[in-house]
Amino acid sequence: MQIYYYYSHYLIVATHFTVTFMLKALPNSDFTNVVSTVNMSGIEAWHMDESEEDQKLPHRLNPNQSVSLKQLEEIGVYYWKLNADIYENDPELQKIREERGYSYMDIITIHPDKLPDYENKVKMFYEEHLHLDDEIRYILDGQSYFDVKDINDRWIRIAVSKGDLITLPAGIYHRFTVDESNYTKAMRLFVGEPVWKAYNRPADDFDIRKAYVNSLKCS
């Protein structure tokens, strides 16, 4: 996977998990086309193994089974790549918030020195659960994993890092964990007043769960 940046009429290409860079002259019009594609494809996801090892490990299958952004969208998961360095005054973030009605915002830092009762909280976040509303997270620093269940009840692990904005639909079974770095800083967004209540599985009788499952059958 590659991440693209534009600086002074040059395209900088950084491969994911490497420190490889390439400079290439590129006309502005071509760059616009590249960025419009990359902004919606700069995320990595895969089907997980069934190991009970440390939740903070990647848990990839061998060979790896990648999951595309299109496959994520088919189960209601959406993604944007933004510039987290300017999150306080980012017009692109503001546009997304206005269009989608994300009126509430706060910031949480998940780290042993910042989050009280850290170990228990991390274990709690990793319980399979659903919410009655969408879960919207914008990663401002660090990295972590969101796991979601696909239509066949298989776990998909989504790796998120600085600049990733992700939305999980109401009614989807999911969970969250930091990775081995034990650090992520995220903006939590919500439509209206926040409701933090999580309903651990089984929650199949909830109306929101039934509506979500029906939406998959219709897609």
Side-chain angles (χ1 to χ4, degrees), residues 166-190:
I166 189 170
T167 68
L168 310 182
I172 193 172
Y173 283 127
H174 66 284
R175 62 192 182 190
F176 168 86
T177 184
V178 291
D179 67 5
E180 294 176 281
S181 69
N182 284 300
Y183 171 64
T184 192
K185 180 180 179 181
M187 177 185 295
R188 301 186 294 187
L189 296 157
F190 209 88

PDB file of all heavy atoms in Angstrom, residues 166-190:
ATOM      1  N   ILE A 166     -12.714   7.009  10.246  1.00  0.00           N
ATOM      2  CA  ILE A 166     -13.468   5.801   9.930  1.00  0.00           C
ATOM      3  C   ILE A 166     -14.824   5.858  10.619  1.00  0.00           C
ATOM      4  O   ILE A 166     -14.959   6.384  11.729  1.00  0.00           O
ATOM      5  CB  ILE A 166     -12.676   4.541  10.368  1.00  0.00           C
ATOM      6  CG1 ILE A 166     -13.345   3.267   9.854  1.00  0.00           C
ATOM      7  CG2 ILE A 166     -12.474   4.491  11.868  1.00  0.00           C
ATOM      8  CD1 ILE A 166     -12.497   2.021  10.038  1.00  0.00           C
ATOM      9  N   THR A 167     -15.849   5.341   9.934  1.00  0.00           N
ATOM     10  CA  THR A 167     -17.180   5.256  10.517  1.00  0.00           C
ATOM     11  C   THR A 167     -17.649   3.804  10.462  1.00  0.00           C
ATOM     12  O   THR A 167     -17.540   3.146   9.428  1.00  0.00           O
ATOM     13  CB  THR A 167     -18.201   6.146   9.785  1.00  0.00           C
ATOM     14  OG1 THR A 167     -18.433   5.641   8.470  1.00  0.00           O
ATOM     15  CG2 THR A 167     -17.701   7.575   9.687  1.00  0.00           C
ATOM     16  N   LEU A 168     -18.172   3.327  11.591  1.00  0.00           N
ATOM     17  CA  LEU A 168     -18.757   1.991  11.678  1.00  0.00           C
ATOM     18  C   LEU A 168     -20.259   2.155  11.869  1.00  0.00           C
ATOM     19  O   LEU A 168     -20.697   2.939  12.711  1.00  0.00           O
ATOM     20  CB  LEU A 168     -18.177   1.213  12.866  1.00  0.00           C
ATOM     21  CG  LEU A 168     -16.652   1.167  13.006  1.00  0.00           C
ATOM     22  CD1 LEU A 168     -16.278   0.300  14.220  1.00  0.00           C
ATOM     23  CD2 LEU A 168     -15.993   0.633  11.753  1.00  0.00           C
ATOM     24  N   PRO A 169     -21.069   1.426  11.107  1.00  0.00           N
ATOM     25  CA  PRO A 169     -22.515   1.643  11.174  1.00  0.00           C
ATOM     26  C   PRO A 169     -23.143   1.125  12.462  1.00  0.00           C
ATOM     27  O   PRO A 169     -22.668   0.143  13.053  1.00  0.00           O
ATOM     28  CB  PRO A 169     -23.034   0.863   9.962  1.00  0.00           C
ATOM     29  CG  PRO A 169     -22.037  -0.242   9.773  1.00  0.00           C
ATOM     30  CD  PRO A 169     -20.707   0.376  10.128  1.00  0.00           C
ATOM     31  N   ALA A 170     -24.211   1.758  12.879  1.00  0.00           N
ATOM     32  CA  ALA A 170     -24.994   1.259  14.009  1.00  0.00           C
ATOM     33  C   ALA A 170     -25.432  -0.171  13.713  1.00  0.00           C
ATOM     34  O   ALA A 170     -25.836  -0.485  12.590  1.00  0.00           O
ATOM     35  CB  ALA A 170     -26.208   2.149  14.226  1.00  0.00           C
ATOM     36  N   GLY A 171     -25.322  -1.037  14.714  1.00  0.00           N
ATOM     37  CA  GLY A 171     -25.778  -2.411  14.554  1.00  0.00           C
ATOM     38  C   GLY A 171     -24.721  -3.401  14.137  1.00  0.00           C
ATOM     39  O   GLY A 171     -24.966  -4.616  14.174  1.00  0.00           O
ATOM     40  N   ILE A 172     -23.528  -2.941  13.743  1.00  0.00           N
ATOM     41  CA  ILE A 172     -22.467  -3.867  13.340  1.00  0.00           C
ATOM     42  C   ILE A 172     -21.739  -4.358  14.590  1.00  0.00           C
ATOM     43  O   ILE A 172     -21.459  -3.591  15.511  1.00  0.00           O
ATOM     44  CB  ILE A 172     -21.471  -3.201  12.363  1.00  0.00           C
ATOM     45  CG1 ILE A 172     -20.565  -4.253  11.713  1.00  0.00           C
ATOM     46  CG2 ILE A 172     -20.638  -2.123  13.033  1.00  0.00           C
ATOM     47  CD1 ILE A 172     -19.684  -3.698  10.597  1.00  0.00           C
ATOM     48  N   TYR A 173     -21.453  -5.659  14.625  1.00  0.00           N
ATOM     49  CA  TYR A 173     -20.626  -6.191  15.707  1.00  0.00           C
ATOM     50  C   TYR A 173     -19.176  -5.797  15.457  1.00  0.00           C
ATOM     51  O   TYR A 173     -18.644  -5.988  14.348  1.00  0.00           O
ATOM     52  CB  TYR A 173     -20.756  -7.708  15.789  1.00  0.00           C
ATOM     53  CG  TYR A 173     -22.031  -8.181  16.442  1.00  0.00           C
ATOM     54  CD1 TYR A 173     -22.864  -9.099  15.808  1.00  0.00           C
ATOM     55  CD2 TYR A 173     -22.400  -7.720  17.705  1.00  0.00           C
ATOM     56  CE1 TYR A 173     -24.036  -9.551  16.414  1.00  0.00           C
ATOM     57  CE2 TYR A 173     -23.575  -8.157  18.313  1.00  0.00           C
ATOM     58  CZ  TYR A 173     -24.384  -9.071  17.664  1.00  0.00           C
ATOM     59  OH  TYR A 173     -25.549  -9.498  18.273  1.00  0.00           O
ATOM     60  N   HIS A 174     -18.529  -5.272  16.486  1.00  0.00           N
ATOM     61  CA  HIS A 174     -17.169  -4.784  16.321  1.00  0.00           C
ATOM     62  C   HIS A 174     -16.456  -4.770  17.663  1.00  0.00           C
ATOM     63  O   HIS A 174     -17.047  -5.056  18.715  1.00  0.00           O
ATOM     64  CB  HIS A 174     -17.166  -3.387  15.702  1.00  0.00           C
ATOM     65  CG  HIS A 174     -17.778  -2.350  16.593  1.00  0.00           C
ATOM     66  ND1 HIS A 174     -19.143  -2.226  16.771  1.00  0.00           N
ATOM     67  CD2 HIS A 174     -17.222  -1.398  17.387  1.00  0.00           C
ATOM     68  CE1 HIS A 174     -19.394  -1.234  17.606  1.00  0.00           C
ATOM     69  NE2 HIS A 174     -18.240  -0.722  18.011  1.00  0.00           N
ATOM     70  N   ARG A 175     -15.187  -4.396  17.629  1.00  0.00           N
ATOM     71  CA  ARG A 175     -14.373  -4.226  18.835  1.00  0.00           C
ATOM     72  C   ARG A 175     -13.169  -3.368  18.467  1.00  0.00           C
ATOM     73  O   ARG A 175     -12.926  -3.103  17.278  1.00  0.00           O
ATOM     74  CB  ARG A 175     -13.932  -5.578  19.396  1.00  0.00           C
ATOM     75  CG  ARG A 175     -13.052  -6.385  18.454  1.00  0.00           C
ATOM     76  CD  ARG A 175     -12.877  -7.818  18.925  1.00  0.00           C
ATOM     77  NE  ARG A 175     -11.982  -8.551  18.026  1.00  0.00           N
ATOM     78  CZ  ARG A 175     -11.788  -9.859  18.077  1.00  0.00           C
ATOM     79  NH1 ARG A 175     -12.416 -10.593  18.973  1.00  0.00           N
ATOM     80  NH2 ARG A 175     -10.953 -10.448  17.225  1.00  0.00           N
ATOM     81  N   PHE A 176     -12.419  -2.959  19.472  1.00  0.00           N
ATOM     82  CA  PHE A 176     -11.284  -2.042  19.258  1.00  0.00           C
ATOM     83  C   PHE A 176     -10.120  -2.466  20.138  1.00  0.00           C
ATOM     84  O   PHE A 176     -10.299  -2.946  21.261  1.00  0.00           O
ATOM     85  CB  PHE A 176     -11.691  -0.612  19.619  1.00  0.00           C
ATOM     86  CG  PHE A 176     -10.542   0.343  19.705  1.00  0.00           C
ATOM     87  CD1 PHE A 176     -10.070   0.980  18.577  1.00  0.00           C
ATOM     88  CD2 PHE A 176      -9.913   0.597  20.922  1.00  0.00           C
ATOM     89  CE1 PHE A 176      -8.975   1.855  18.654  1.00  0.00           C
ATOM     90  CE2 PHE A 176      -8.837   1.462  21.007  1.00  0.00           C
ATOM     91  CZ  PHE A 176      -8.367   2.092  19.867  1.00  0.00           C
ATOM     92  N   THR A 177      -8.913  -2.250  19.626  1.00  0.00           N
ATOM     93  CA  THR A 177      -7.723  -2.441  20.453  1.00  0.00           C
ATOM     94  C   THR A 177      -6.584  -1.565  19.947  1.00  0.00           C
ATOM     95  O   THR A 177      -6.492  -1.269  18.742  1.00  0.00           O
ATOM     96  CB  THR A 177      -7.257  -3.910  20.478  1.00  0.00           C
ATOM     97  OG1 THR A 177      -6.151  -4.050  21.385  1.00  0.00           O
ATOM     98  CG2 THR A 177      -6.825  -4.394  19.099  1.00  0.00           C
ATOM     99  N   VAL A 178      -5.737  -1.150  20.864  1.00  0.00           N
ATOM    100  CA  VAL A 178      -4.464  -0.560  20.460  1.00  0.00           C
ATOM    101  C   VAL A 178      -3.585  -1.677  19.915  1.00  0.00           C
ATOM    102  O   VAL A 178      -3.865  -2.857  20.103  1.00  0.00           O
ATOM    103  CB  VAL A 178      -3.761   0.127  21.653  1.00  0.00           C
ATOM    104  CG1 VAL A 178      -4.518   1.374  22.074  1.00  0.00           C
ATOM    105  CG2 VAL A 178      -3.630  -0.843  22.823  1.00  0.00           C
ATOM    106  N   ASP A 179      -2.508  -1.301  19.229  1.00  0.00           N
ATOM    107  CA  ASP A 179      -1.537  -2.300  18.804  1.00  0.00           C
ATOM    108  C   ASP A 179      -0.424  -2.373  19.856  1.00  0.00           C
ATOM    109  O   ASP A 179      -0.584  -1.907  20.987  1.00  0.00           O
ATOM    110  CB  ASP A 179      -1.013  -2.026  17.398  1.00  0.00           C
ATOM    111  CG  ASP A 179      -0.176  -0.748  17.304  1.00  0.00           C
ATOM    112  OD1 ASP A 179       0.080  -0.106  18.356  1.00  0.00           O
ATOM    113  OD2 ASP A 179       0.240  -0.393  16.191  1.00  0.00           O
ATOM    114  N   GLU A 180       0.708  -2.945  19.501  1.00  0.00           N
ATOM    115  CA  GLU A 180       1.789  -3.148  20.472  1.00  0.00           C
ATOM    116  C   GLU A 180       2.432  -1.848  20.943  1.00  0.00           C
ATOM    117  O   GLU A 180       3.154  -1.835  21.937  1.00  0.00           O
ATOM    118  CB  GLU A 180       2.838  -4.077  19.875  1.00  0.00           C
ATOM    119  CG  GLU A 180       2.338  -5.499  19.648  1.00  0.00           C
ATOM    120  CD  GLU A 180       3.354  -6.379  18.970  1.00  0.00           C
ATOM    121  OE1 GLU A 180       3.490  -6.269  17.723  1.00  0.00           O
ATOM    122  OE2 GLU A 180       4.034  -7.168  19.668  1.00  0.00           O
ATOM    123  N   SER A 181       2.169  -0.748  20.244  1.00  0.00           N
ATOM    124  CA  SER A 181       2.700   0.544  20.679  1.00  0.00           C
ATOM    125  C   SER A 181       1.959   1.095  21.907  1.00  0.00           C
ATOM    126  O   SER A 181       2.450   2.000  22.571  1.00  0.00           O
ATOM    127  CB  SER A 181       2.619   1.561  19.541  1.00  0.00           C
ATOM    128  OG  SER A 181       1.258   1.902  19.275  1.00  0.00           O
ATOM    129  N   ASN A 182       0.775   0.550  22.170  1.00  0.00           N
ATOM    130  CA  ASN A 182      -0.030   0.989  23.316  1.00  0.00           C
ATOM    131  C   ASN A 182      -0.345   2.486  23.294  1.00  0.00           C
ATOM    132  O   ASN A 182      -0.417   3.126  24.348  1.00  0.00           O
ATOM    133  CB  ASN A 182       0.668   0.637  24.638  1.00  0.00           C
ATOM    134  CG  ASN A 182       0.547  -0.837  24.970  1.00  0.00           C
ATOM    135  OD1 ASN A 182      -0.549  -1.363  25.121  1.00  0.00           O
ATOM    136  ND2 ASN A 182       1.687  -1.511  25.045  1.00  0.00           N
ATOM    137  N   TYR A 183      -0.559   3.018  22.116  1.00  0.00           N
ATOM    138  CA  TYR A 183      -0.837   4.454  22.039  1.00  0.00           C
ATOM    139  C   TYR A 183      -1.665   4.804  20.819  1.00  0.00           C
ATOM    140  O   TYR A 183      -1.325   4.435  19.693  1.00  0.00           O
ATOM    141  CB  TYR A 183       0.467   5.250  21.991  1.00  0.00           C
ATOM    142  CG  TYR A 183       0.268   6.721  21.685  1.00  0.00           C
ATOM    143  CD1 TYR A 183      -0.424   7.554  22.567  1.00  0.00           C
ATOM    144  CD2 TYR A 183       0.749   7.271  20.506  1.00  0.00           C
ATOM    145  CE1 TYR A 183      -0.620   8.889  22.284  1.00  0.00           C
ATOM    146  CE2 TYR A 183       0.571   8.619  20.208  1.00  0.00           C
ATOM    147  CZ  TYR A 183      -0.120   9.426  21.106  1.00  0.00           C
ATOM    148  OH  TYR A 183      -0.331  10.758  20.822  1.00  0.00           O
ATOM    149  N   THR A 184      -2.744   5.494  21.071  1.00  0.00           N
ATOM    150  CA  THR A 184      -3.472   6.150  19.996  1.00  0.00           C
ATOM    151  C   THR A 184      -4.212   7.353  20.573  1.00  0.00           C
ATOM    152  O   THR A 184      -4.662   7.332  21.727  1.00  0.00           O
ATOM    153  CB  THR A 184      -4.461   5.185  19.292  1.00  0.00           C
ATOM    154  OG1 THR A 184      -4.935   5.776  18.082  1.00  0.00           O
ATOM    155  CG2 THR A 184      -5.653   4.865  20.182  1.00  0.00           C
ATOM    156  N   LYS A 185      -4.294   8.387  19.786  1.00  0.00           N
ATOM    157  CA  LYS A 185      -5.035   9.598  20.150  1.00  0.00           C
ATOM    158  C   LYS A 185      -6.100   9.799  19.088  1.00  0.00           C
ATOM    159  O   LYS A 185      -5.793   9.839  17.898  1.00  0.00           O
ATOM    160  CB  LYS A 185      -4.092  10.807  20.199  1.00  0.00           C
ATOM    161  CG  LYS A 185      -4.775  12.120  20.573  1.00  0.00           C
ATOM    162  CD  LYS A 185      -3.748  13.253  20.598  1.00  0.00           C
ATOM    163  CE  LYS A 185      -4.389  14.585  20.938  1.00  0.00           C
ATOM    164  NZ  LYS A 185      -3.392  15.691  20.932  1.00  0.00           N
ATOM    165  N   ALA A 186      -7.359   9.887  19.519  1.00  0.00           N
ATOM    166  CA  ALA A 186      -8.450   9.909  18.544  1.00  0.00           C
ATOM    167  C   ALA A 186      -9.483  10.969  18.887  1.00  0.00           C
ATOM    168  O   ALA A 186      -9.769  11.242  20.057  1.00  0.00           O
ATOM    169  CB  ALA A 186      -9.119   8.542  18.476  1.00  0.00           C
ATOM    170  N   MET A 187     -10.056  11.534  17.839  1.00  0.00           N
ATOM    171  CA  MET A 187     -11.214  12.405  17.965  1.00  0.00           C
ATOM    172  C   MET A 187     -12.458  11.527  17.856  1.00  0.00           C
ATOM    173  O   MET A 187     -12.582  10.727  16.939  1.00  0.00           O
ATOM    174  CB  MET A 187     -11.215  13.468  16.859  1.00  0.00           C
ATOM    175  CG  MET A 187     -12.441  14.378  16.876  1.00  0.00           C
ATOM    176  SD  MET A 187     -12.479  15.521  15.454  1.00  0.00           S
ATOM    177  CE  MET A 187     -11.036  16.536  15.791  1.00  0.00           C
ATOM    178  N   ARG A 188     -13.367  11.690  18.820  1.00  0.00           N
ATOM    179  CA  ARG A 188     -14.633  10.971  18.784  1.00  0.00           C
ATOM    180  C   ARG A 188     -15.720  11.941  18.307  1.00  0.00           C
ATOM    181  O   ARG A 188     -15.897  13.016  18.894  1.00  0.00           O
ATOM    182  CB  ARG A 188     -14.969  10.416  20.165  1.00  0.00           C
ATOM    183  CG  ARG A 188     -13.905   9.478  20.687  1.00  0.00           C
ATOM    184  CD  ARG A 188     -14.302   8.808  21.990  1.00  0.00           C
ATOM    185  NE  ARG A 188     -14.424   9.743  23.104  1.00  0.00           N
ATOM    186  CZ  ARG A 188     -14.631   9.374  24.372  1.00  0.00           C
ATOM    187  NH1 ARG A 188     -14.770   8.092  24.674  1.00  0.00           N
ATOM    188  NH2 ARG A 188     -14.713  10.294  25.335  1.00  0.00           N
ATOM    189  N   LEU A 189     -16.415  11.552  17.265  1.00  0.00           N
ATOM    190  CA  LEU A 189     -17.450  12.396  16.677  1.00  0.00           C
ATOM    191  C   LEU A 189     -18.804  11.727  16.852  1.00  0.00           C
ATOM    192  O   LEU A 189     -18.909  10.495  16.879  1.00  0.00           O
ATOM    193  CB  LEU A 189     -17.159  12.628  15.192  1.00  0.00           C
ATOM    194  CG  LEU A 189     -15.864  13.396  14.895  1.00  0.00           C
ATOM    195  CD1 LEU A 189     -15.375  13.109  13.496  1.00  0.00           C
ATOM    196  CD2 LEU A 189     -16.090  14.890  15.094  1.00  0.00           C
ATOM    197  N   PHE A 190     -19.849  12.559  16.958  1.00  0.00           N
ATOM    198  CA  PHE A 190     -21.170  12.015  17.219  1.00  0.00           C
ATOM    199  C   PHE A 190     -22.228  12.956  16.661  1.00  0.00           C
ATOM    200  O   PHE A 190     -22.035  14.168  16.622  1.00  0.00           O
ATOM    201  CB  PHE A 190     -21.378  11.846  18.733  1.00  0.00           C
ATOM    202  CG  PHE A 190     -22.315  10.736  19.098  1.00  0.00           C
ATOM    203  CD1 PHE A 190     -21.854   9.444  19.280  1.00  0.00           C
ATOM    204  CD2 PHE A 190     -23.674  10.987  19.255  1.00  0.00           C
ATOM    205  CE1 PHE A 190     -22.717   8.422  19.618  1.00  0.00           C
ATOM    206  CE2 PHE A 190     -24.551   9.978  19.591  1.00  0.00           C
ATOM    207  CZ  PHE A 190     -24.074   8.683  19.776  1.00  0.00           C
TER     208      PHE A 190
END
